Amino acid sequence: MIDYRKLAHRFRQLYGDEPRVFRAPGRINLIGEHTDYNGGFVLPMAIERETAVAVRPRNDRRIHAHTLNYGESAEFDLDSVDTVATGPVWVRFVEGMARIIDSDVTRLRGANMMILSDVPPGAGLSSSAALETAVGFALISMTGGNVDRIALAKAGQRTEHDYVGAQVGIMDQFVSAHARAGHALLLDCRSLGFEHVPIDTARVSVVICDTNVKHDLASSEYNVRRAECETAVRLLQADLPNITDLRDVSEAELDEYGTRLPQTIRLRARHVVTENARTLEAADALKLGDMNAFGWLMWESHRSLRDDYEVSSGELDTMVEIASRIEGVLGARMTGGGFGGSTVNLVARERVRHFTEAIEHEYLRATGIAATVLISNACGGASEAKIELQDESSATGASRR
Ligand code: GLA
């Protein structure tokens, strides 16, 4: 967890002013992978890793941002087209959010910001969505207006498209903005209707295992998959003229008309169509507290991502295979975009310690790489962090204005 008081203290040291602090979490996806940009369903939850932004409005329209993670700063002017988004990646997220919110959501004031995150980058835990959401939430809050969380999530998604070149769906930003503690979030990515579904943490724990092999979402494969899905829709429209997304296609229809698709395109479509069905089934299982059924769907999801969608990696497969041999594991699968990153494991509570030891040991033995294991409750979405700034500043004697 982020030490907000330390962040506020560092902010005062740099800017000489008292900040407010906003935070937004990273996420794992329990099931529903690569369905969001196909108009389908996802079931993510926010994790206890987050990005915090200390912020204070300025009297001009300049945004100055400093990240404690990299010790770097950037500054740009909302009234000038001069961009700094050619610099480090984190700057692109900040500038993208600021400019997109300013043009599409609400006119912003300039601001000084300091950023601190404990979401590991490249682990498939949506460090970028946490950054976008926290920055956007902080900047909108400085206008004095209410935060429209759907507009916030959409601005995050557009930032990925326009400033990073990753054609992502809406899942990560949406859950970072809308999550509720103790709950997973069932989201219909077409209508953006959603439901909070409680997770029975008395019986099971969600254990995240980072393969520590980094992926690059902006790299071509994610966008290739998205284009393949669009091709599938276009070809299937010959027989199914009313479909607009793969979400509209049933398994029976794919069996009947899919034979006309090129092999690779058919496999991609099969993953999406079956994953959508699994996600709705998993949400029902979660509501009924049937965690065995939920776990079974997770194994199936991994198989489909590995064989049909081909977005897994050797390390992810090894991690899931090891989990399948450990007692008390109800289900395991890769989570997020793929090509590295983390697995999510549903583990009987009393077996968590044994699981952690076994997976660390076996994964190291099989790959020579040390895994990072994180056990997380489902936490709440973006919010203002409550800190007792008063106490801290008098203790440190920091300057105030
Ligand atoms: C990444 C994207 C999401 C989603 C997942 C795959 O996390 O940001 O929009 O497409 O991959 O489910």
Short mmCIF file of all heavy atoms in Angstrom, two decimals, residues 186-235:
data_model
loop_
_atom_site.label_atom_id
_atom_site.label_comp_id
_atom_site.label_asym_id
_atom_site.label_seq_id
_atom_site.Cartn_x
_atom_site.Cartn_y
_atom_site.Cartn_z
N LEU A 186 -18.80 -7.60 -12.92
CA LEU A 186 -19.26 -8.18 -14.20
C LEU A 186 -19.66 -7.02 -15.10
O LEU A 186 -20.59 -6.27 -14.77
CB LEU A 186 -20.45 -9.11 -13.97
CG LEU A 186 -21.08 -9.69 -15.25
CD1 LEU A 186 -20.09 -10.60 -15.99
CD2 LEU A 186 -22.37 -10.45 -14.93
N LEU A 187 -18.94 -6.88 -16.21
CA LEU A 187 -19.17 -5.74 -17.10
C LEU A 187 -19.58 -6.21 -18.48
O LEU A 187 -18.93 -7.07 -19.07
CB LEU A 187 -17.87 -4.90 -17.19
CG LEU A 187 -17.87 -3.77 -18.22
CD1 LEU A 187 -18.88 -2.68 -17.86
CD2 LEU A 187 -16.47 -3.16 -18.34
N ASP A 188 -20.65 -5.62 -18.96
CA ASP A 188 -21.05 -5.80 -20.36
C ASP A 188 -20.34 -4.70 -21.14
O ASP A 188 -20.69 -3.52 -21.02
CB ASP A 188 -22.58 -5.65 -20.46
CG ASP A 188 -23.07 -5.74 -21.89
OD1 ASP A 188 -22.29 -5.47 -22.82
OD2 ASP A 188 -24.27 -6.06 -22.08
N CYS A 189 -19.34 -5.08 -21.91
CA CYS A 189 -18.47 -4.07 -22.53
C CYS A 189 -19.15 -3.36 -23.70
O CYS A 189 -18.60 -2.40 -24.23
CB CYS A 189 -17.16 -4.69 -22.98
SG CYS A 189 -16.23 -5.35 -21.59
N ARG A 190 -20.33 -3.82 -24.09
CA ARG A 190 -21.05 -3.08 -25.13
C ARG A 190 -21.94 -2.00 -24.53
O ARG A 190 -21.82 -0.84 -24.87
CB ARG A 190 -21.89 -4.02 -25.97
CG ARG A 190 -22.70 -3.27 -27.03
CD ARG A 190 -23.60 -4.18 -27.79
NE ARG A 190 -22.86 -4.90 -28.81
CZ ARG A 190 -23.34 -5.97 -29.45
NH1 ARG A 190 -24.53 -6.45 -29.13
NH2 ARG A 190 -22.63 -6.56 -30.38
N SER A 191 -22.77 -2.40 -23.57
CA SER A 191 -23.69 -1.41 -22.98
C SER A 191 -23.04 -0.63 -21.85
O SER A 191 -23.54 0.41 -21.43
CB SER A 191 -24.92 -2.13 -22.43
OG SER A 191 -24.56 -2.90 -21.28
N LEU A 192 -21.93 -1.16 -21.33
CA LEU A 192 -21.24 -0.64 -20.14
C LEU A 192 -22.12 -0.75 -18.89
O LEU A 192 -21.89 -0.09 -17.88
CB LEU A 192 -20.72 0.79 -20.32
CG LEU A 192 -19.68 0.96 -21.43
CD1 LEU A 192 -19.12 2.38 -21.45
CD2 LEU A 192 -18.52 -0.04 -21.26
N GLY A 193 -23.13 -1.63 -18.96
CA GLY A 193 -23.90 -1.99 -17.76
C GLY A 193 -23.02 -2.90 -16.91
O GLY A 193 -22.27 -3.73 -17.44
N PHE A 194 -23.09 -2.75 -15.60
CA PHE A 194 -22.22 -3.60 -14.77
C PHE A 194 -22.90 -3.97 -13.46
O PHE A 194 -23.89 -3.37 -13.05
CB PHE A 194 -20.88 -2.90 -14.49
CG PHE A 194 -21.00 -1.62 -13.69
CD1 PHE A 194 -20.87 -1.63 -12.31
CD2 PHE A 194 -21.25 -0.41 -14.33
CE1 PHE A 194 -20.98 -0.45 -11.58
CE2 PHE A 194 -21.35 0.77 -13.61
CZ PHE A 194 -21.22 0.76 -12.23
N GLU A 195 -22.32 -4.99 -12.83
CA GLU A 195 -22.88 -5.52 -11.59
C GLU A 195 -21.71 -5.91 -10.69
O GLU A 195 -20.74 -6.50 -11.17
CB GLU A 195 -23.69 -6.77 -11.97
CG GLU A 195 -24.51 -7.36 -10.89
CD GLU A 195 -25.18 -8.67 -11.36
OE1 GLU A 195 -25.24 -8.93 -12.58
OE2 GLU A 195 -25.60 -9.44 -10.51
N HIS A 196 -21.79 -5.56 -9.41
CA HIS A 196 -20.75 -5.98 -8.46
C HIS A 196 -21.15 -7.33 -7.88
O HIS A 196 -22.23 -7.47 -7.33
CB HIS A 196 -20.62 -4.96 -7.32
CG HIS A 196 -20.14 -3.62 -7.78
ND1 HIS A 196 -18.86 -3.40 -8.23
CD2 HIS A 196 -20.76 -2.42 -7.88
CE1 HIS A 196 -18.71 -2.12 -8.57
NE2 HIS A 196 -19.85 -1.50 -8.37
N VAL A 197 -20.26 -8.32 -8.00
CA VAL A 197 -20.58 -9.67 -7.52
C VAL A 197 -19.63 -10.01 -6.36
O VAL A 197 -18.41 -10.00 -6.54
CB VAL A 197 -20.40 -10.71 -8.65
CG1 VAL A 197 -20.85 -12.09 -8.17
CG2 VAL A 197 -21.16 -10.30 -9.90
N PRO A 198 -20.19 -10.30 -5.17
CA PRO A 198 -19.31 -10.56 -4.02
C PRO A 198 -18.44 -11.81 -4.22
O PRO A 198 -18.88 -12.78 -4.84
CB PRO A 198 -20.27 -10.77 -2.85
CG PRO A 198 -21.64 -10.77 -3.40
CD PRO A 198 -21.60 -10.34 -4.83
N ILE A 199 -17.23 -11.76 -3.70
CA ILE A 199 -16.33 -12.92 -3.77
C ILE A 199 -16.27 -13.54 -2.38
O ILE A 199 -16.03 -12.83 -1.39
CB ILE A 199 -14.91 -12.48 -4.20
CG1 ILE A 199 -14.96 -11.79 -5.56
CG2 ILE A 199 -13.97 -13.68 -4.26
CD1 ILE A 199 -13.62 -11.27 -6.03
N ASP A 200 -16.46 -14.83 -2.32
CA ASP A 200 -16.51 -15.53 -1.04
C ASP A 200 -15.10 -15.78 -0.51
O ASP A 200 -14.53 -16.86 -0.65
CB ASP A 200 -17.25 -16.86 -1.24
CG ASP A 200 -17.40 -17.62 0.06
OD1 ASP A 200 -17.01 -17.09 1.12
OD2 ASP A 200 -17.90 -18.75 0.01
N THR A 201 -14.53 -14.73 0.09
CA THR A 201 -13.13 -14.85 0.52
C THR A 201 -12.97 -15.61 1.84
O THR A 201 -11.86 -15.82 2.31
CB THR A 201 -12.48 -13.46 0.67
OG1 THR A 201 -13.39 -12.61 1.34
CG2 THR A 201 -12.10 -12.88 -0.67
N ALA A 202 -14.08 -16.04 2.44
CA ALA A 202 -13.95 -16.89 3.62
C ALA A 202 -13.38 -18.24 3.21
O ALA A 202 -12.68 -18.90 3.97
CB ALA A 202 -15.32 -17.06 4.28
N ARG A 203 -13.69 -18.64 1.98
CA ARG A 203 -13.27 -19.97 1.53
C ARG A 203 -12.09 -19.95 0.57
O ARG A 203 -11.28 -20.87 0.55
CB ARG A 203 -14.45 -20.67 0.88
CG ARG A 203 -15.50 -21.13 1.90
CD ARG A 203 -16.73 -21.66 1.21
NE ARG A 203 -16.41 -22.59 0.15
CZ ARG A 203 -17.09 -22.70 -1.01
NH1 ARG A 203 -18.12 -21.95 -1.22
NH2 ARG A 203 -16.73 -23.58 -1.90
N VAL A 204 -12.01 -18.94 -0.27
CA VAL A 204 -10.94 -18.94 -1.29
C VAL A 204 -10.15 -17.64 -1.28
O VAL A 204 -10.66 -16.59 -0.90
CB VAL A 204 -11.51 -19.14 -2.72
CG1 VAL A 204 -12.11 -20.51 -2.89
CG2 VAL A 204 -12.49 -18.05 -3.07
N SER A 205 -8.90 -17.76 -1.70
CA SER A 205 -8.07 -16.57 -1.88
C SER A 205 -7.71 -16.44 -3.34
O SER A 205 -7.54 -17.45 -4.05
CB SER A 205 -6.77 -16.70 -1.09
OG SER A 205 -7.03 -16.63 0.28
N VAL A 206 -7.57 -15.21 -3.78
CA VAL A 206 -7.09 -14.95 -5.13
C VAL A 206 -5.58 -14.72 -5.02
O VAL A 206 -5.13 -13.80 -4.34
CB VAL A 206 -7.79 -13.71 -5.72
CG1 VAL A 206 -7.18 -13.34 -7.06
CG2 VAL A 206 -9.29 -13.97 -5.84
N VAL A 207 -4.83 -15.59 -5.66
CA VAL A 207 -3.37 -15.51 -5.59
C VAL A 207 -2.83 -15.20 -6.99
O VAL A 207 -3.14 -15.90 -7.95
CB VAL A 207 -2.76 -16.82 -5.05
CG1 VAL A 207 -1.25 -16.65 -4.87
CG2 VAL A 207 -3.42 -17.24 -3.74
N ILE A 208 -2.05 -14.14 -7.06
CA ILE A 208 -1.51 -13.68 -8.34
C ILE A 208 -0.05 -14.11 -8.41
O ILE A 208 0.72 -13.85 -7.48
CB ILE A 208 -1.62 -12.15 -8.43
CG1 ILE A 208 -3.09 -11.71 -8.27
CG2 ILE A 208 -1.04 -11.62 -9.74
CD1 ILE A 208 -3.24 -10.30 -7.75
N CYS A 209 0.33 -14.76 -9.50
CA CYS A 209 1.72 -15.21 -9.65
C CYS A 209 2.32 -14.55 -10.89
O CYS A 209 1.90 -14.83 -12.02
CB CYS A 209 1.79 -16.73 -9.82
SG CYS A 209 1.16 -17.62 -8.40
N ASP A 210 3.28 -13.68 -10.68
CA ASP A 210 3.94 -12.98 -11.78
C ASP A 210 5.07 -13.86 -12.31
O ASP A 210 5.96 -14.26 -11.55
CB ASP A 210 4.49 -11.64 -11.26
CG ASP A 210 5.10 -10.78 -12.35
OD1 ASP A 210 5.20 -11.25 -13.50
OD2 ASP A 210 5.49 -9.64 -12.04
N THR A 211 5.02 -14.16 -13.59
CA THR A 211 6.08 -15.01 -14.19
C THR A 211 7.41 -14.24 -14.25
O THR A 211 8.44 -14.84 -14.52
CB THR A 211 5.72 -15.41 -15.64
OG1 THR A 211 5.56 -14.21 -16.42
CG2 THR A 211 4.45 -16.24 -15.69
N ASN A 212 7.32 -12.93 -14.06
CA ASN A 212 8.48 -12.05 -14.17
C ASN A 212 9.13 -12.10 -15.56
O ASN A 212 10.32 -11.86 -15.72
CB ASN A 212 9.50 -12.32 -13.07
CG ASN A 212 9.06 -11.62 -11.78
OD1 ASN A 212 8.57 -10.51 -11.81
ND2 ASN A 212 9.23 -12.29 -10.66
N VAL A 213 8.29 -12.42 -16.53
CA VAL A 213 8.69 -12.25 -17.92
C VAL A 213 7.80 -11.14 -18.44
O VAL A 213 6.58 -11.26 -18.42
CB VAL A 213 8.50 -13.54 -18.73
CG1 VAL A 213 8.87 -13.32 -20.19
CG2 VAL A 213 9.34 -14.66 -18.14
N LYS A 214 8.41 -10.03 -18.84
CA LYS A 214 7.64 -8.84 -19.17
C LYS A 214 7.06 -8.91 -20.57
O LYS A 214 7.70 -9.42 -21.48
CB LYS A 214 8.52 -7.58 -19.05
CG LYS A 214 9.22 -7.43 -17.73
CD LYS A 214 8.25 -7.24 -16.59
CE LYS A 214 9.00 -7.16 -15.27
NZ LYS A 214 8.16 -7.47 -14.11
N HIS A 215 5.88 -8.35 -20.72
CA HIS A 215 5.28 -8.26 -22.05
C HIS A 215 5.18 -6.80 -22.44
O HIS A 215 5.29 -5.91 -21.62
CB HIS A 215 3.91 -8.90 -22.07
CG HIS A 215 2.90 -8.15 -21.24
ND1 HIS A 215 1.71 -7.74 -21.74
CD2 HIS A 215 2.92 -7.74 -19.96
CE1 HIS A 215 1.04 -7.11 -20.80
NE2 HIS A 215 1.74 -7.10 -19.72
N ASP A 216 4.95 -6.57 -23.71
CA ASP A 216 4.79 -5.20 -24.18
C ASP A 216 3.47 -5.14 -24.93
O ASP A 216 3.35 -5.56 -26.05
CB ASP A 216 5.95 -4.86 -25.12
CG ASP A 216 5.83 -3.44 -25.63
OD1 ASP A 216 4.92 -2.72 -25.17
OD2 ASP A 216 6.62 -3.08 -26.51
N LEU A 217 2.44 -4.60 -24.24
CA LEU A 217 1.10 -4.59 -24.82
C LEU A 217 1.05 -3.83 -26.14
O LEU A 217 0.30 -4.19 -27.04
CB LEU A 217 0.14 -3.91 -23.83
CG LEU A 217 -0.97 -4.75 -23.24
CD1 LEU A 217 -1.97 -3.88 -22.54
CD2 LEU A 217 -1.65 -5.59 -24.30
N ALA A 218 1.86 -2.77 -26.19
CA ALA A 218 1.83 -1.96 -27.41
C ALA A 218 2.42 -2.75 -28.58
O ALA A 218 2.22 -2.38 -29.73
CB ALA A 218 2.61 -0.68 -27.19
N SER A 219 3.12 -3.82 -28.26
CA SER A 219 3.71 -4.62 -29.33
C SER A 219 2.60 -5.19 -30.19
O SER A 219 1.46 -5.36 -29.76
CB SER A 219 4.60 -5.72 -28.78
OG SER A 219 3.79 -6.76 -28.29
N SER A 220 2.97 -5.56 -31.39
CA SER A 220 2.00 -5.81 -32.45
C SER A 220 0.93 -6.87 -32.16
O SER A 220 -0.20 -6.73 -32.61
CB SER A 220 2.77 -6.20 -33.69
OG SER A 220 3.65 -7.24 -33.34
N GLU A 221 1.25 -7.92 -31.40
CA GLU A 221 0.33 -9.07 -31.34
C GLU A 221 -1.08 -8.74 -30.84
O GLU A 221 -2.05 -9.31 -31.31
CB GLU A 221 0.93 -10.19 -30.48
CG GLU A 221 2.06 -10.94 -31.17
CD GLU A 221 1.64 -11.60 -32.49
OE1 GLU A 221 0.56 -12.22 -32.54
OE2 GLU A 221 2.39 -11.46 -33.47
N TYR A 222 -1.16 -7.85 -29.85
CA TYR A 222 -2.48 -7.50 -29.33
C TYR A 222 -3.34 -6.89 -30.45
O TYR A 222 -4.50 -7.29 -30.66
CB TYR A 222 -2.34 -6.50 -28.17
CG TYR A 222 -3.65 -6.16 -27.50
CD1 TYR A 222 -4.05 -6.83 -26.35
CD2 TYR A 222 -4.48 -5.18 -28.00
CE1 TYR A 222 -5.25 -6.53 -25.72
CE2 TYR A 222 -5.68 -4.87 -27.39
CZ TYR A 222 -6.06 -5.54 -26.24
OH TYR A 222 -7.24 -5.23 -25.64
N ASN A 223 -2.75 -5.96 -31.19
CA ASN A 223 -3.51 -5.31 -32.26
C ASN A 223 -3.83 -6.29 -33.39
O ASN A 223 -4.86 -6.18 -34.04
CB ASN A 223 -2.73 -4.10 -32.78
CG ASN A 223 -2.59 -3.00 -31.73
OD1 ASN A 223 -3.26 -3.06 -30.69
ND2 ASN A 223 -1.75 -2.02 -31.98
N VAL A 224 -2.92 -7.27 -33.60
CA VAL A 224 -3.17 -8.29 -34.62
C VAL A 224 -4.41 -9.10 -34.23
O VAL A 224 -5.29 -9.35 -35.06
CB VAL A 224 -1.95 -9.23 -34.77
CG1 VAL A 224 -2.29 -10.47 -35.61
CG2 VAL A 224 -0.78 -8.48 -35.40
N ARG A 225 -4.50 -9.50 -32.93
CA ARG A 225 -5.67 -10.27 -32.49
C ARG A 225 -6.95 -9.48 -32.71
O ARG A 225 -7.97 -9.99 -33.15
CB ARG A 225 -5.57 -10.63 -31.00
CG ARG A 225 -4.50 -11.64 -30.66
CD ARG A 225 -4.72 -12.98 -31.35
NE ARG A 225 -3.61 -13.86 -31.06
CZ ARG A 225 -2.39 -13.76 -31.63
NH1 ARG A 225 -2.16 -12.84 -32.53
NH2 ARG A 225 -1.42 -14.59 -31.30
N ARG A 226 -6.89 -8.23 -32.39
CA ARG A 226 -8.08 -7.39 -32.54
C ARG A 226 -8.51 -7.34 -34.02
O ARG A 226 -9.69 -7.48 -34.34
CB ARG A 226 -7.77 -5.99 -32.03
CG ARG A 226 -9.01 -5.21 -31.85
CD ARG A 226 -8.82 -3.90 -31.15
NE ARG A 226 -10.11 -3.22 -31.21
CZ ARG A 226 -10.60 -2.45 -30.28
NH1 ARG A 226 -9.93 -2.22 -29.20
NH2 ARG A 226 -11.78 -1.90 -30.42
N ALA A 227 -7.54 -7.19 -34.89
CA ALA A 227 -7.85 -7.15 -36.33
C ALA A 227 -8.40 -8.50 -36.80
O ALA A 227 -9.32 -8.55 -37.63
CB ALA A 227 -6.59 -6.77 -37.11
N GLU A 228 -7.87 -9.59 -36.25
CA GLU A 228 -8.37 -10.92 -36.64
C GLU A 228 -9.85 -11.08 -36.25
O GLU A 228 -10.63 -11.68 -36.99
CB GLU A 228 -7.51 -12.02 -35.99
CG GLU A 228 -6.14 -12.15 -36.66
CD GLU A 228 -5.17 -13.03 -35.86
OE1 GLU A 228 -5.36 -13.24 -34.64
OE2 GLU A 228 -4.18 -13.48 -36.47
N CYS A 229 -10.20 -10.54 -35.09
CA CYS A 229 -11.60 -10.62 -34.65
C CYS A 229 -12.50 -9.81 -35.58
O CYS A 229 -13.61 -10.23 -35.92
CB CYS A 229 -11.75 -10.12 -33.21
SG CYS A 229 -10.98 -11.22 -32.02
N GLU A 230 -12.00 -8.66 -36.02
CA GLU A 230 -12.80 -7.84 -36.95
C GLU A 230 -12.97 -8.57 -38.28
O GLU A 230 -14.05 -8.55 -38.88
CB GLU A 230 -12.12 -6.48 -37.16
CG GLU A 230 -12.36 -5.54 -35.99
CD GLU A 230 -11.36 -4.39 -35.92
OE1 GLU A 230 -10.64 -4.15 -36.91
OE2 GLU A 230 -11.30 -3.74 -34.85
N THR A 231 -11.92 -9.26 -38.72
CA THR A 231 -12.02 -10.06 -39.95
C THR A 231 -13.07 -11.14 -39.78
O THR A 231 -13.89 -11.38 -40.68
CB THR A 231 -10.65 -10.69 -40.28
OG1 THR A 231 -9.70 -9.65 -40.40
CG2 THR A 231 -10.70 -11.50 -41.57
N ALA A 232 -13.05 -11.81 -38.62
CA ALA A 232 -14.03 -12.88 -38.36
C ALA A 232 -15.45 -12.33 -38.48
O ALA A 232 -16.31 -12.95 -39.13
CB ALA A 232 -13.80 -13.48 -36.97
N VAL A 233 -15.70 -11.16 -37.89
CA VAL A 233 -17.05 -10.57 -37.95
C VAL A 233 -17.43 -10.28 -39.40
O VAL A 233 -18.52 -10.63 -39.86
CB VAL A 233 -17.12 -9.28 -37.10
CG1 VAL A 233 -18.43 -8.54 -37.33
CG2 VAL A 233 -16.96 -9.62 -35.61
N ARG A 234 -16.49 -9.67 -40.12
CA ARG A 234 -16.78 -9.32 -41.51
C ARG A 234 -17.14 -10.56 -42.35
O ARG A 234 -18.11 -10.57 -43.09
CB ARG A 234 -15.56 -8.60 -42.11
CG ARG A 234 -15.88 -7.68 -43.23
CD ARG A 234 -14.78 -6.65 -43.54
NE ARG A 234 -13.46 -6.95 -43.03
CZ ARG A 234 -12.56 -7.78 -43.57
NH1 ARG A 234 -12.86 -8.42 -44.67
NH2 ARG A 234 -11.37 -7.96 -43.03
N LEU A 235 -16.39 -11.63 -42.16
CA LEU A 235 -16.64 -12.84 -42.94
C LEU A 235 -17.94 -13.52 -42.51
O LEU A 235 -18.71 -14.03 -43.33
CB LEU A 235 -15.46 -13.81 -42.82
CG LEU A 235 -14.14 -13.31 -43.43
CD1 LEU A 235 -13.00 -14.29 -43.15
CD2 LEU A 235 -14.28 -13.10 -44.93
#
